[in-house]
Amino acid sequence: ARYLRSRNQLAPADAGNQIRVPMPGKVVDVFVTEGEEVKSGQTLVIVAAMKMESEYKAGRDGIVKKVLVQPGETVDSDQVMIVLE
């Protein structure tokens, strides 16, 4: 239940400047590059964890400041994947 609450809060969008992953997994795809303009709700990253794929979306309009992950990379719990300006 705690995982689902966490997933529901973070997977759709992290309204702050950082997009974080709530649990360990593997990056499947990254859809943005540094300097790219993004809109609220736009999918930025897909991460596979526990045999499920989760989309992580922009919580607000902004510009991608840093992309800290690449497809195929393993991520840890609460790791920052993308930073927005």
Side-chain angles (χ1 to χ4, degrees), residues 40-56:
S40 179
Q42 180 178 340
T43 300
L44 307 178
V45 180
I46 294 180
V47 176
M50 296 180 60
K51 299 181 183 179
M52 297 178 0
E53 289 187 356
S54 299
E55 293 184 358
Y56 294 86

PDB file of all heavy atoms in Angstrom, residues 40-56:
ATOM      1  N   SER A  40       3.910  20.441 -18.820  1.00  0.00           N
ATOM      2  CA  SER A  40       3.354  19.687 -17.700  1.00  0.00           C
ATOM      3  C   SER A  40       2.644  18.435 -18.220  1.00  0.00           C
ATOM      4  O   SER A  40       1.872  18.497 -19.181  1.00  0.00           O
ATOM      5  CB  SER A  40       2.365  20.571 -16.936  1.00  0.00           C
ATOM      6  OG  SER A  40       1.801  19.857 -15.876  1.00  0.00           O
ATOM      7  N   GLY A  41       2.952  17.286 -17.618  1.00  0.00           N
ATOM      8  CA  GLY A  41       2.332  16.025 -18.014  1.00  0.00           C
ATOM      9  C   GLY A  41       3.089  15.269 -19.088  1.00  0.00           C
ATOM     10  O   GLY A  41       2.747  14.140 -19.411  1.00  0.00           O
ATOM     11  N   GLN A  42       4.134  15.865 -19.649  1.00  0.00           N
ATOM     12  CA  GLN A  42       4.936  15.205 -20.689  1.00  0.00           C
ATOM     13  C   GLN A  42       5.784  14.104 -20.063  1.00  0.00           C
ATOM     14  O   GLN A  42       6.426  14.303 -19.049  1.00  0.00           O
ATOM     15  CB  GLN A  42       5.830  16.234 -21.373  1.00  0.00           C
ATOM     16  CG  GLN A  42       6.707  15.673 -22.459  1.00  0.00           C
ATOM     17  CD  GLN A  42       7.550  16.748 -23.135  1.00  0.00           C
ATOM     18  OE1 GLN A  42       7.240  17.925 -23.072  1.00  0.00           O
ATOM     19  NE2 GLN A  42       8.623  16.326 -23.781  1.00  0.00           N
ATOM     20  N   THR A  43       5.803  12.921 -20.678  1.00  0.00           N
ATOM     21  CA  THR A  43       6.612  11.812 -20.182  1.00  0.00           C
ATOM     22  C   THR A  43       8.081  12.111 -20.430  1.00  0.00           C
ATOM     23  O   THR A  43       8.480  12.450 -21.542  1.00  0.00           O
ATOM     24  CB  THR A  43       6.225  10.498 -20.883  1.00  0.00           C
ATOM     25  OG1 THR A  43       4.840  10.228 -20.627  1.00  0.00           O
ATOM     26  CG2 THR A  43       7.072   9.331 -20.375  1.00  0.00           C
ATOM     27  N   LEU A  44       8.887  11.984 -19.358  1.00  0.00           N
ATOM     28  CA  LEU A  44      10.315  12.260 -19.443  1.00  0.00           C
ATOM     29  C   LEU A  44      11.145  10.988 -19.438  1.00  0.00           C
ATOM     30  O   LEU A  44      12.118  10.875 -20.169  1.00  0.00           O
ATOM     31  CB  LEU A  44      10.745  13.157 -18.276  1.00  0.00           C
ATOM     32  CG  LEU A  44       9.962  14.459 -18.083  1.00  0.00           C
ATOM     33  CD1 LEU A  44      10.475  15.214 -16.874  1.00  0.00           C
ATOM     34  CD2 LEU A  44      10.014  15.307 -19.333  1.00  0.00           C
ATOM     35  N   VAL A  45      10.765  10.030 -18.575  1.00  0.00           N
ATOM     36  CA  VAL A  45      11.553   8.808 -18.376  1.00  0.00           C
ATOM     37  C   VAL A  45      10.609   7.639 -18.121  1.00  0.00           C
ATOM     38  O   VAL A  45       9.561   7.803 -17.497  1.00  0.00           O
ATOM     39  CB  VAL A  45      12.487   8.957 -17.149  1.00  0.00           C
ATOM     40  CG1 VAL A  45      13.312   7.710 -16.924  1.00  0.00           C
ATOM     41  CG2 VAL A  45      13.399  10.159 -17.285  1.00  0.00           C
ATOM     42  N   ILE A  46      11.011   6.442 -18.570  1.00  0.00           N
ATOM     43  CA  ILE A  46      10.306   5.206 -18.210  1.00  0.00           C
ATOM     44  C   ILE A  46      11.298   4.330 -17.464  1.00  0.00           C
ATOM     45  O   ILE A  46      12.427   4.132 -17.918  1.00  0.00           O
ATOM     46  CB  ILE A  46       9.757   4.470 -19.442  1.00  0.00           C
ATOM     47  CG1 ILE A  46       8.664   5.298 -20.109  1.00  0.00           C
ATOM     48  CG2 ILE A  46       9.227   3.094 -19.047  1.00  0.00           C
ATOM     49  CD1 ILE A  46       8.059   4.662 -21.337  1.00  0.00           C
ATOM     50  N   VAL A  47      10.861   3.833 -16.292  1.00  0.00           N
ATOM     51  CA  VAL A  47      11.699   2.974 -15.454  1.00  0.00           C
ATOM     52  C   VAL A  47      10.955   1.663 -15.205  1.00  0.00           C
ATOM     53  O   VAL A  47       9.763   1.667 -14.889  1.00  0.00           O
ATOM     54  CB  VAL A  47      12.019   3.656 -14.103  1.00  0.00           C
ATOM     55  CG1 VAL A  47      12.800   2.719 -13.194  1.00  0.00           C
ATOM     56  CG2 VAL A  47      12.800   4.935 -14.324  1.00  0.00           C
ATOM     57  N   ALA A  48      11.668   0.545 -15.341  1.00  0.00           N
ATOM     58  CA  ALA A  48      11.114  -0.774 -15.045  1.00  0.00           C
ATOM     59  C   ALA A  48      11.547  -1.178 -13.642  1.00  0.00           C
ATOM     60  O   ALA A  48      12.726  -1.107 -13.306  1.00  0.00           O
ATOM     61  CB  ALA A  48      11.600  -1.804 -16.046  1.00  0.00           C
ATOM     62  N   ALA A  49      10.566  -1.549 -12.817  1.00  0.00           N
ATOM     63  CA  ALA A  49      10.831  -2.008 -11.450  1.00  0.00           C
ATOM     64  C   ALA A  49       9.744  -3.003 -11.069  1.00  0.00           C
ATOM     65  O   ALA A  49       8.563  -2.778 -11.339  1.00  0.00           O
ATOM     66  CB  ALA A  49      10.828  -0.832 -10.484  1.00  0.00           C
ATOM     67  N   MET A  50      10.145  -4.094 -10.450  1.00  0.00           N
ATOM     68  CA  MET A  50       9.199  -5.115  -9.992  1.00  0.00           C
ATOM     69  C   MET A  50       8.294  -5.596 -11.131  1.00  0.00           C
ATOM     70  O   MET A  50       7.085  -5.721 -10.973  1.00  0.00           O
ATOM     71  CB  MET A  50       8.374  -4.592  -8.821  1.00  0.00           C
ATOM     72  CG  MET A  50       9.196  -4.293  -7.591  1.00  0.00           C
ATOM     73  SD  MET A  50       8.243  -3.664  -6.203  1.00  0.00           S
ATOM     74  CE  MET A  50       7.113  -5.033  -5.918  1.00  0.00           C
ATOM     75  N   LYS A  51       8.892  -5.822 -12.305  1.00  0.00           N
ATOM     76  CA  LYS A  51       8.182  -6.334 -13.485  1.00  0.00           C
ATOM     77  C   LYS A  51       7.109  -5.384 -14.002  1.00  0.00           C
ATOM     78  O   LYS A  51       6.167  -5.796 -14.676  1.00  0.00           O
ATOM     79  CB  LYS A  51       7.590  -7.711 -13.206  1.00  0.00           C
ATOM     80  CG  LYS A  51       8.632  -8.749 -12.852  1.00  0.00           C
ATOM     81  CD  LYS A  51       8.004 -10.092 -12.613  1.00  0.00           C
ATOM     82  CE  LYS A  51       9.079 -11.082 -12.181  1.00  0.00           C
ATOM     83  NZ  LYS A  51       8.528 -12.390 -11.924  1.00  0.00           N
ATOM     84  N   MET A  52       7.216  -4.105 -13.665  1.00  0.00           N
ATOM     85  CA  MET A  52       6.274  -3.090 -14.145  1.00  0.00           C
ATOM     86  C   MET A  52       7.075  -1.929 -14.708  1.00  0.00           C
ATOM     87  O   MET A  52       8.173  -1.645 -14.251  1.00  0.00           O
ATOM     88  CB  MET A  52       5.389  -2.565 -13.007  1.00  0.00           C
ATOM     89  CG  MET A  52       4.508  -3.606 -12.395  1.00  0.00           C
ATOM     90  SD  MET A  52       3.476  -3.048 -11.000  1.00  0.00           S
ATOM     91  CE  MET A  52       3.839  -1.373 -10.758  1.00  0.00           C
ATOM     92  N   GLU A  53       6.512  -1.244 -15.701  1.00  0.00           N
ATOM     93  CA  GLU A  53       7.135  -0.041 -16.231  1.00  0.00           C
ATOM     94  C   GLU A  53       6.337   1.164 -15.756  1.00  0.00           C
ATOM     95  O   GLU A  53       5.113   1.169 -15.849  1.00  0.00           O
ATOM     96  CB  GLU A  53       7.196  -0.076 -17.753  1.00  0.00           C
ATOM     97  CG  GLU A  53       8.187  -1.087 -18.280  1.00  0.00           C
ATOM     98  CD  GLU A  53       8.376  -1.017 -19.781  1.00  0.00           C
ATOM     99  OE1 GLU A  53       7.680  -0.233 -20.460  1.00  0.00           O
ATOM    100  OE2 GLU A  53       9.236  -1.762 -20.282  1.00  0.00           O
ATOM    101  N   SER A  54       7.047   2.167 -15.242  1.00  0.00           N
ATOM    102  CA  SER A  54       6.406   3.382 -14.749  1.00  0.00           C
ATOM    103  C   SER A  54       6.907   4.584 -15.544  1.00  0.00           C
ATOM    104  O   SER A  54       8.099   4.702 -15.803  1.00  0.00           O
ATOM    105  CB  SER A  54       6.733   3.601 -13.266  1.00  0.00           C
ATOM    106  OG  SER A  54       6.260   2.530 -12.497  1.00  0.00           O
ATOM    107  N   GLU A  55       5.971   5.447 -15.914  1.00  0.00           N
ATOM    108  CA  GLU A  55       6.311   6.689 -16.612  1.00  0.00           C
ATOM    109  C   GLU A  55       6.474   7.791 -15.583  1.00  0.00           C
ATOM    110  O   GLU A  55       5.645   7.930 -14.683  1.00  0.00           O
ATOM    111  CB  GLU A  55       5.203   7.079 -17.583  1.00  0.00           C
ATOM    112  CG  GLU A  55       5.039   6.141 -18.742  1.00  0.00           C
ATOM    113  CD  GLU A  55       3.983   6.622 -19.728  1.00  0.00           C
ATOM    114  OE1 GLU A  55       3.345   7.670 -19.494  1.00  0.00           O
ATOM    115  OE2 GLU A  55       3.799   5.942 -20.741  1.00  0.00           O
ATOM    116  N   TYR A  56       7.517   8.578 -15.739  1.00  0.00           N
ATOM    117  CA  TYR A  56       7.741   9.734 -14.866  1.00  0.00           C
ATOM    118  C   TYR A  56       7.577  10.971 -15.729  1.00  0.00           C
ATOM    119  O   TYR A  56       8.245  11.121 -16.745  1.00  0.00           O
ATOM    120  CB  TYR A  56       9.127   9.658 -14.202  1.00  0.00           C
ATOM    121  CG  TYR A  56       9.167   8.485 -13.258  1.00  0.00           C
ATOM    122  CD1 TYR A  56       9.485   7.214 -13.713  1.00  0.00           C
ATOM    123  CD2 TYR A  56       8.816   8.652 -11.922  1.00  0.00           C
ATOM    124  CE1 TYR A  56       9.478   6.129 -12.863  1.00  0.00           C
ATOM    125  CE2 TYR A  56       8.803   7.567 -11.060  1.00  0.00           C
ATOM    126  CZ  TYR A  56       9.132   6.307 -11.542  1.00  0.00           C
ATOM    127  OH  TYR A  56       9.109   5.234 -10.695  1.00  0.00           O
TER     128      TYR A  56
END
